[in-house]
Amino acid sequence: MESVLRPLIVIGGSVVVTLLAGWAVDLLLRRADSRHHETPLWGLLRRCRPPLQVVIITALLRGSYRQTKIDWVWEHRAGIGQALSLVLIGASAWLVVRAAATVVEASYARYATSTRDPARVRRVRTQVTLIQRVVIAVVTVVAIAAMLLTFPPMRGVGTSMLASAGLLGIVAGVAAQSTLGNLFAGLQIAFGDMVRIGDTVVVDGEWGTIDEITLTFLAVRTWDERRITMPVSYFTSQPFENWSRGGVQMTGTVFFHLDHSAPVAAMRKKLRDILGDIAAWDGRDWSLAVTDTTPSTIQVRAVVTAKDADDIWTVRCAVREQLIGWLRDHHPYALPRIATSPAALPPGEQWAELTGARSRPSRNGTSSPADPAPRTGRG
């Protein structure tokens, strides 16, 4: 009878104590969360209940499994104790990682709700994400090292390895130079505020948004939903455009290559009408001017503004599409053309204004255009 009751008391008691401890902790956290609505930490800490219960029951069994007085347990007590020790170390690491992630997430959520500056929110998000990854990496390494040290042969290996730690450190440093460089580059990005999650960047000719930052790589999500993965060391050694630095407001340009007879003044008025119908234009500024000329065309630049990178792209596309359509329908002579093709001339009055010619009365009393300008050149 004792051989049956003793294991039930040891194992059942451990389970009961674990369930009671988890219920009590969860009850305290719920009460704290109901009293402090402004702090999401107490509610998020309830996620730590599973690893906490695993730690409690493993610790209880680790200290009392020999009291079961079961023959096969006593025969394999060393292996069972080793297994319980490994589970206890792993559960403790799980609990630490879960608690650290909860604290970091709660801090970020509270900061995000109290700050209206999206740039600062993205900066804090980048920092807390990398801090969380560093904590996970450190806890994982320490847990693995603690598990290995529970094996007696590994203790001797560790002692012998300490004698050659200097040489191994040099070899490891040379072998992992790229990895360590990316690691320090990730920390530099996080705390140097070079780039943040959510920033709009142009990298290697690709326009996109920072989607993820880790200790070794950085993912850029392009406008067509592609993911470009780059080492973080690239952003500390190569120049790149960050359109989100110094504010999110953007100024964009639209270039037109037109014929010399293009009605620039009419285009300027039409641009103002077009911008008035575009909701993405923020109304801060606009302009249209001739910025360059060639023997066959002129370059007309339209400048528009918007509140962020997405809206500036929308405004530029809309202005380009509508102005080209307006020129095609009302002023086809202004579009660039090949010199050997027949040209579409503007109406007579507009042609007179462009060439400076004046009408003169004819013999029958009607007005007729002036003589064309004399031909120049040989032949």
Side-chain angles (χ1 to χ4, degrees):
M1 189 67 179
E2 183 181 358
S3 61
V4 177
L5 290 178
R6 187 180 292 271
L8 290 177
I9 292 174
V10 172
I11 299 176
S14 300
V15 173
V16 171
V17 171
T18 301
L19 293 177
L20 289 176
W23 174 81
V25 171
D26 188 69
L27 179 61
L28 292 175
L29 290 177
R30 280 187 297 173
R31 289 185 177 180
D33 185 40
S34 62
R35 294 179 181 178
H36 304 280
H37 298 284
E38 73 282 355
T39 304
L41 176 62
W42 306 111
L44 294 175
L45 280 176
R46 297 179 62 191
R47 302 177 182 178
C48 300
R49 181 178 178 180
L52 177 63
Q53 291 180 323
V54 175
V55 169
I56 293 175
I57 193 172
T58 306
L60 292 175
L61 292 176
R62 180 65 180 82
S64 61
Y65 75 97
R66 295 185 181 184
Q67 304 301 324
T68 58
K69 301 299 183 179
I70 302 177
D71 294 337
W72 67 269
V73 173
W74 183 258
E75 293 175 358
H76 302 86
R77 60 185 181 276
I80 296 175
Q82 184 76 22
L84 290 175
S85 298
L86 294 177
V87 174
L88 181 59
I89 294 174
S92 301
W94 182 20
L95 178 60
V96 172
V97 169
R98 181 65 65 86
T102 301
V103 172
V104 169
E105 184 177 351
S107 302
Y108 169 72
R110 186 173 183 180
Y111 184 84
T113 55
S114 61
T115 304
R116 297 183 179 180
D117 188 358
R120 291 187 177 182
V121 173
R122 292 198 303 269
R123 177 182 179 182
V124 173
R125 180 186 175 188
T126 303
Q127 292 177 352
V128 298
T129 301
L130 290 179
I131 290 174
Q132 182 177 347
R133 294 182 184 274
V134 170
V135 171
I136 294 175
V138 171
V139 172
T140 303
V141 171
V142 172
I144 293 175
M147 290 180 179
L148 293 177
L149 290 178
T150 58
F151 296 93
M154 294 301 299
R155 299 175 184 174
V157 173
T159 304
S160 61
M161 289 178 63
L162 289 176
S164 57
L167 179 60
L168 290 177
I170 296 175
V171 175
V174 174
Q177 182 179 3
S178 177
T179 302
L180 292 176
N182 285 327
L183 176 62
F184 288 111
L187 296 176
Q188 184 178 355
I189 286 177
F191 296 98
D193 197 25
M194 299 175 58
V195 65
R196 298 155 297 202
I197 296 177
D199 282 2
T200 302
V201 297
V202 178
V203 180
D204 199 18
E206 295 285 350
W207 178 90
T209 305
I210 301 298
D211 192 48
E212 183 181 5
I213 298 178
T214 67
L215 294 177
T216 56
F217 71 89
L218 188 147
V220 179
R221 176 169 51 88
T222 60
W223 62 273
D224 54 355
E225 300 299 331
R226 290 181 294 118
R227 298 298 191 279
I228 302 177
T229 302
M230 310 184 70
V232 293
S233 59
Y234 176 91
F235 290 85
T236 59
S237 59
Q238 300 292 334
F240 65 94
E241 296 183 26
N242 190 342
W243 291 6
S244 300
R245 292 282 296 185
V248 295
Q249 293 179 340
M250 296 289 298
T251 299
T253 57
V254 182
F255 289 96
F256 301 92
H257 294 274
L258 305 174
D259 189 79
H260 289 84
S261 60
V264 178
M267 287 182 63
R268 191 173 290 113
K269 295 180 180 179
K270 184 62 179 179
L271 174 61
R272 183 64 183 88
D273 297 337
I274 291 174
L275 291 176
D277 297 332
I278 300 176
W281 180 56
D282 61 358
R284 286 189 298 118
D285 191 16
W286 69 276
S287 66
L288 187 139
V290 178
T291 57
D292 197 5
T293 181
T294 66
S296 57
T297 61
I298 60 173
Q299 185 184 69
V300 179
R301 184 189 68 182
V303 177
V304 293
T305 59
K307 64 181 180 64
D308 54 30
D310 292 336
D311 283 354
I312 198 64
W313 176 262
T314 303
V315 175
R316 291 174 62 193
C317 292
V319 167
R320 185 183 297 109
E321 176 183 350
Q322 296 187 37
L323 264 184
I324 288 295
W326 177 74
L327 289 174
R328 180 194 63 234
D329 297 337
H330 299 86
H331 303 276
Y333 59 89
L335 299 177
R337 53 185 179 269
I338 301 176
T340 56
S341 64
L345 299 178
E349 295 181 357
Q350 295 185 11
W351 177 256
E353 294 178 358
L354 293 174
T355 58
R358 298 181 179 177
S359 60
R360 62 181 183 181
S362 59
R363 294 180 179 179
N364 56 9
T366 61
S367 61
S368 60
D371 295 335
R375 299 178 59 186
T376 60
R378 298 181 179 179

